Amino acid sequence: SLYKKAQASLKSGLDLKTVVQLPPGENINDWIAVHVVDFFNRINLIYGTMSEFCTERSCPVMSGGLKYEYRWQDDQKYKKPTKLSAPQYMNMLMDWIETLINNEDIFPTRTGVPFPKNFQQVCTKILTRLFRVFVHVYIHHFDGIINVGAEAHVNTCYKHFYYFITEFSLISHRELEPLVRRNAILI
């Protein structure tokens, strides 16, 4: 399966920049779907690791430093962009993504069932919001990540994520700005 192919190439010590490239003969939407689900699972774990030090009190606003504030909008409960604490934002985000990736009309799992026409747009929105988790972690909680010994894991996950989103131009350059300096060090 594509998931096993992606996992095997990650564990083999290959260059992450090469690993994210679409394998010959594979469908791009299948490749993107496998990675979106994988990144969701990995980033959800990273968030779980830092949730003890990302609290309503320490993070009353979902942000990436003083310059970037992220507001939640889901067109259901939150029709307008709404200021939430980081933990509230993260919980809403993870629930929202889980609902999308479990929706067969958006992420079909049966062979021969086509992806919707707006599939890559949906994935761009998911990945953009997942990127904001990295922004928040790196800017506000990286000391905590180091203290629990998860620095190498978070950095590797971020590099894999970054190479994937840039390989397929899935996030706007404007969204990437908060981590430009970190990218210069890591990438």
Side-chain angles (χ1 to χ4, degrees), residues 51-77:
S51 62
E52 67 186 77
F53 32 83
C54 182
T55 64
E56 302 281 331
R57 178 174 283 168
S58 67
C59 302
V61 175
M62 176 59 179
S63 64
L66 298 173
K67 196 173 173 187
Y68 301 95
E69 182 178 298
Y70 302 119
R71 295 178 178 220
W72 183 256
Q73 181 177 4
D74 58 15
D75 297 325
Q76 289 169 10
K77 185 176 177 187

Short mmCIF file of all heavy atoms in Angstrom, two decimals, residues 51-77:
data_model
loop_
_atom_site.label_atom_id
_atom_site.label_comp_id
_atom_site.label_asym_id
_atom_site.label_seq_id
_atom_site.Cartn_x
_atom_site.Cartn_y
_atom_site.Cartn_z
N SER A 51 0.58 19.02 25.40
CA SER A 51 -0.68 19.54 25.94
C SER A 51 -0.61 19.85 27.44
O SER A 51 -1.33 20.71 27.92
CB SER A 51 -1.83 18.59 25.64
OG SER A 51 -1.62 17.35 26.25
N GLU A 52 0.30 19.19 28.16
CA GLU A 52 0.40 19.49 29.59
C GLU A 52 0.97 20.88 29.85
O GLU A 52 0.70 21.47 30.89
CB GLU A 52 1.23 18.42 30.32
CG GLU A 52 2.70 18.42 29.93
CD GLU A 52 3.46 17.27 30.54
OE1 GLU A 52 3.32 16.14 30.03
OE2 GLU A 52 4.18 17.48 31.53
N PHE A 53 1.75 21.42 28.92
CA PHE A 53 2.25 22.78 29.13
C PHE A 53 1.62 23.80 28.19
O PHE A 53 2.02 24.95 28.18
CB PHE A 53 3.79 22.89 29.13
CG PHE A 53 4.51 21.93 28.23
CD1 PHE A 53 4.67 22.19 26.89
CD2 PHE A 53 5.04 20.75 28.75
CE1 PHE A 53 5.35 21.30 26.07
CE2 PHE A 53 5.72 19.86 27.93
CZ PHE A 53 5.88 20.13 26.60
N CYS A 54 0.64 23.40 27.41
CA CYS A 54 -0.13 24.34 26.59
C CYS A 54 -1.52 24.38 27.20
O CYS A 54 -2.36 23.52 26.92
CB CYS A 54 -0.18 23.87 25.14
SG CYS A 54 -1.07 25.00 24.05
N THR A 55 -1.75 25.35 28.05
CA THR A 55 -2.99 25.41 28.81
C THR A 55 -3.75 26.70 28.51
O THR A 55 -3.21 27.62 27.87
CB THR A 55 -2.69 25.36 30.32
OG1 THR A 55 -1.95 26.55 30.67
CG2 THR A 55 -1.90 24.11 30.69
N GLU A 56 -4.98 26.76 28.99
CA GLU A 56 -5.79 27.98 28.84
C GLU A 56 -5.03 29.17 29.44
O GLU A 56 -5.07 30.27 28.89
CB GLU A 56 -7.13 27.82 29.57
CG GLU A 56 -7.97 26.64 29.10
CD GLU A 56 -8.73 26.91 27.81
OE1 GLU A 56 -9.08 28.06 27.54
OE2 GLU A 56 -8.94 25.93 27.07
N ARG A 57 -4.35 28.94 30.54
CA ARG A 57 -3.64 30.01 31.22
C ARG A 57 -2.37 30.42 30.47
O ARG A 57 -2.11 31.59 30.26
CB ARG A 57 -3.28 29.60 32.65
CG ARG A 57 -2.49 30.69 33.39
CD ARG A 57 -2.28 30.36 34.82
NE ARG A 57 -3.53 30.62 35.54
CZ ARG A 57 -3.77 30.22 36.76
NH1 ARG A 57 -2.88 29.53 37.42
NH2 ARG A 57 -4.92 30.51 37.33
N SER A 58 -1.57 29.43 30.05
CA SER A 58 -0.30 29.76 29.37
C SER A 58 -0.52 30.25 27.94
O SER A 58 0.29 31.02 27.42
CB SER A 58 0.64 28.55 29.37
OG SER A 58 0.12 27.51 28.56
N CYS A 59 -1.59 29.81 27.31
CA CYS A 59 -1.84 30.12 25.91
C CYS A 59 -3.29 30.55 25.70
O CYS A 59 -4.08 29.82 25.08
CB CYS A 59 -1.51 28.92 25.03
SG CYS A 59 0.18 28.35 25.19
N PRO A 60 -3.66 31.73 26.20
CA PRO A 60 -5.05 32.17 26.08
C PRO A 60 -5.49 32.46 24.64
O PRO A 60 -6.68 32.57 24.36
CB PRO A 60 -5.11 33.42 26.95
CG PRO A 60 -3.70 33.92 27.01
CD PRO A 60 -2.83 32.70 26.90
N VAL A 61 -4.50 32.55 23.73
CA VAL A 61 -4.78 32.80 22.31
C VAL A 61 -3.94 31.84 21.48
O VAL A 61 -2.77 31.62 21.79
CB VAL A 61 -4.43 34.26 21.94
CG1 VAL A 61 -4.60 34.51 20.45
CG2 VAL A 61 -5.25 35.24 22.75
N MET A 62 -4.53 31.27 20.43
CA MET A 62 -3.76 30.42 19.51
C MET A 62 -2.92 31.35 18.66
O MET A 62 -3.45 32.13 17.84
CB MET A 62 -4.70 29.59 18.64
CG MET A 62 -4.00 28.75 17.59
SD MET A 62 -2.82 27.58 18.30
CE MET A 62 -2.25 26.79 16.80
N SER A 63 -1.61 31.28 18.87
CA SER A 63 -0.73 32.22 18.17
C SER A 63 0.61 31.58 17.85
O SER A 63 0.93 30.50 18.32
CB SER A 63 -0.52 33.47 19.04
OG SER A 63 0.17 33.10 20.22
N GLY A 64 1.36 32.34 17.07
CA GLY A 64 2.73 32.01 16.75
C GLY A 64 3.56 33.25 17.03
O GLY A 64 3.89 33.99 16.11
N GLY A 65 3.80 33.51 18.29
CA GLY A 65 4.50 34.74 18.67
C GLY A 65 3.51 35.89 18.71
O GLY A 65 2.30 35.70 18.66
N LEU A 66 4.07 37.10 18.79
CA LEU A 66 3.23 38.28 18.90
C LEU A 66 2.62 38.69 17.56
O LEU A 66 1.60 39.35 17.51
CB LEU A 66 4.03 39.45 19.47
CG LEU A 66 4.59 39.24 20.88
CD1 LEU A 66 5.51 40.38 21.28
CD2 LEU A 66 3.44 39.10 21.87
N LYS A 67 3.27 38.27 16.48
CA LYS A 67 2.87 38.75 15.15
C LYS A 67 1.74 37.93 14.50
O LYS A 67 1.04 38.42 13.63
CB LYS A 67 4.11 38.73 14.25
CG LYS A 67 3.99 39.52 12.98
CD LYS A 67 5.32 39.57 12.25
CE LYS A 67 5.17 40.20 10.90
NZ LYS A 67 6.38 40.11 10.11
N TYR A 68 1.57 36.69 14.93
CA TYR A 68 0.62 35.80 14.26
C TYR A 68 -0.42 35.27 15.24
O TYR A 68 -0.07 34.63 16.22
CB TYR A 68 1.34 34.62 13.60
CG TYR A 68 2.36 35.07 12.59
CD1 TYR A 68 3.70 35.22 12.95
CD2 TYR A 68 1.99 35.39 11.29
CE1 TYR A 68 4.65 35.67 12.03
CE2 TYR A 68 2.92 35.83 10.36
CZ TYR A 68 4.25 35.97 10.75
OH TYR A 68 5.16 36.40 9.84
N GLU A 69 -1.68 35.56 14.96
CA GLU A 69 -2.79 35.05 15.76
C GLU A 69 -3.69 34.25 14.83
O GLU A 69 -4.04 34.71 13.75
CB GLU A 69 -3.56 36.20 16.38
CG GLU A 69 -4.70 35.74 17.27
CD GLU A 69 -5.43 36.90 17.92
OE1 GLU A 69 -4.79 37.65 18.68
OE2 GLU A 69 -6.62 37.06 17.62
N TYR A 70 -4.02 33.05 15.26
CA TYR A 70 -4.85 32.17 14.44
C TYR A 70 -6.24 32.08 15.05
O TYR A 70 -6.40 31.75 16.22
CB TYR A 70 -4.22 30.78 14.33
CG TYR A 70 -2.83 30.84 13.76
CD1 TYR A 70 -1.72 30.40 14.49
CD2 TYR A 70 -2.60 31.34 12.48
CE1 TYR A 70 -0.45 30.45 13.96
CE2 TYR A 70 -1.32 31.39 11.95
CZ TYR A 70 -0.24 30.95 12.70
OH TYR A 70 1.01 31.00 12.17
N ARG A 71 -7.24 32.37 14.24
CA ARG A 71 -8.63 32.31 14.69
C ARG A 71 -9.31 31.11 14.07
O ARG A 71 -8.98 30.71 12.96
CB ARG A 71 -9.34 33.61 14.33
CG ARG A 71 -8.72 34.76 15.09
CD ARG A 71 -9.33 36.09 14.76
NE ARG A 71 -8.68 37.10 15.58
CZ ARG A 71 -9.33 38.10 16.14
NH1 ARG A 71 -10.62 38.24 15.96
NH2 ARG A 71 -8.67 38.97 16.86
N TRP A 72 -10.26 30.56 14.79
CA TRP A 72 -10.95 29.35 14.35
C TRP A 72 -12.24 29.69 13.60
O TRP A 72 -13.01 30.54 14.03
CB TRP A 72 -11.28 28.45 15.54
CG TRP A 72 -11.92 27.19 15.05
CD1 TRP A 72 -13.24 26.86 15.12
CD2 TRP A 72 -11.27 26.12 14.37
NE1 TRP A 72 -13.45 25.64 14.50
CE2 TRP A 72 -12.26 25.17 14.04
CE3 TRP A 72 -9.95 25.88 13.99
CZ2 TRP A 72 -11.97 23.99 13.36
CZ3 TRP A 72 -9.67 24.71 13.31
CH2 TRP A 72 -10.66 23.78 13.01
N GLN A 73 -12.45 29.01 12.49
CA GLN A 73 -13.70 29.10 11.74
C GLN A 73 -13.97 27.74 11.13
O GLN A 73 -13.08 27.15 10.50
CB GLN A 73 -13.58 30.16 10.63
CG GLN A 73 -14.86 30.34 9.84
CD GLN A 73 -14.75 31.44 8.79
OE1 GLN A 73 -13.69 32.03 8.60
NE2 GLN A 73 -15.83 31.71 8.12
N ASP A 74 -15.18 27.24 11.35
CA ASP A 74 -15.52 25.92 10.80
C ASP A 74 -16.84 25.92 10.02
O ASP A 74 -17.30 24.89 9.56
CB ASP A 74 -15.55 24.85 11.90
CG ASP A 74 -16.54 25.17 13.01
OD1 ASP A 74 -17.41 26.05 12.83
OD2 ASP A 74 -16.43 24.54 14.08
N ASP A 75 -17.44 27.10 9.89
CA ASP A 75 -18.71 27.27 9.16
C ASP A 75 -19.86 26.48 9.77
O ASP A 75 -20.90 26.31 9.14
CB ASP A 75 -18.55 26.93 7.67
CG ASP A 75 -17.56 27.87 7.00
OD1 ASP A 75 -17.52 29.06 7.37
OD2 ASP A 75 -16.82 27.41 6.11
N GLN A 76 -19.69 25.99 10.99
CA GLN A 76 -20.79 25.33 11.70
C GLN A 76 -21.02 26.06 13.02
O GLN A 76 -21.85 26.95 13.08
CB GLN A 76 -20.50 23.85 11.89
CG GLN A 76 -20.58 23.10 10.57
CD GLN A 76 -20.06 21.69 10.66
OE1 GLN A 76 -19.79 21.17 11.72
NE2 GLN A 76 -19.91 21.06 9.51
N LYS A 77 -20.23 25.72 14.02
CA LYS A 77 -20.37 26.40 15.30
C LYS A 77 -19.75 27.81 15.25
O LYS A 77 -20.25 28.74 15.85
CB LYS A 77 -19.70 25.57 16.41
CG LYS A 77 -19.91 26.14 17.80
CD LYS A 77 -19.32 25.25 18.87
CE LYS A 77 -19.50 25.89 20.24
NZ LYS A 77 -18.80 25.14 21.28
#
